[in-house]
Amino acid sequence: MQSSKLEVLTPGNSQLIFIDQQPQMAFGVQSIDRQALKNNVVGLAKAAKVFGIPTTITTVETESFSGHTYPELLAVFPDHEILERTSMNSWDDQNVRDSLAANDRKKIIVAGLWTEVCNTTFALSAMHDAGYEIYMVADASGGTSQDAHDYAMQRMIQAGVVPMTWQQVFLEWQRDWANRDTYDAVMAVAKEHSGAYGIGVDYAYTMVHKAPERVKHGKRIGPSPASQ
């Protein structure tokens, strides 16, 4: 294994690319629940925003086929340029190459659709042509079948791609809970997007540490047992 891959991800050594997180591409995904997919994509985007991770957003055939990038993703990066392509392989587009090169970081975290096409061809090409290290976020990506996703992941792993999950990336960036500058923002993302972990954080905050609830709500009434 390359010694550089033994380095953990940090906010200073990594960049992120979202590939074709668009409705028509998501319609074809069968390897992961699509609502979970979008949750993970948006959670990863919010995590990147917390840590100031350079982020590239690229799309394919927006007007003619794929539709517009998820509004929840664009809301995280409202001022970002969106790099439109015709090729299924993002590496074939010079604007994408220039965006990645400008960030001057060799570790590229990838979340895209579909795993077996756009993710695989980009990963292999970026590694082969420019020596990038690719970290593939498996649960913020999706394939047209479970086999399509799994075999694509296996092919990429055999070629040297590092498989990850979005929360693994997120917590690797945080690394130490003593990093208080990002602690509250990290917890906010976890509570909204990290499923059981986020639910557990809310419970611990309110029931163990007696913090106020995150949202204001109506008056709690009762109990009032009904007469028999």
Side-chain angles (χ1 to χ4, degrees), residues 18 20-23 25-44 70 111-115 119 137-143 149 166 193:
F18 289 106
D20 305 346
Q21 297 287 356
Q22 299 165 268
M25 303 304 295
F27 294 161
V29 168
Q30 298 292 323
S31 62
I32 182 174
D33 176 81
R34 282 164 282 192
Q35 186 61 43
L37 170 68
K38 187 164 74 167
N39 172 77
N40 298 345
V41 167
V42 176
L44 180 61
Y70 310 143
L113 306 177
W114 296 321
T115 317
N119 290 14
V137 188
D139 62 350
S141 302
H149 176 79
W166 86 269
H193 293 281

Side-chain angles (χ1 to χ4, degrees), residues 193-212:
H193 293 281
S194 289
Y197 174 41
I199 294 169
V201 170
D202 262 333
Y203 180 86
Y205 272 33
T206 57
M207 302 303 290
V208 179
H209 301 292
K210 304 305 179 183

Side-chain angles (χ1 to χ4, degrees), residues 2 14 26 33 36 60 84-85 89 100 109 116 125 129 139 142 175 219:
Q2 294 173 230
S14 50
D33 176 81
V60 66
E84 179 77 359
R85 318 179 322 276
N89 184 350
L100 298 171
I109 299 159
E116 69 271 26
S125 297
D129 294 354
D139 62 350
R175 185 167 181 158
K219 182 179 178 181

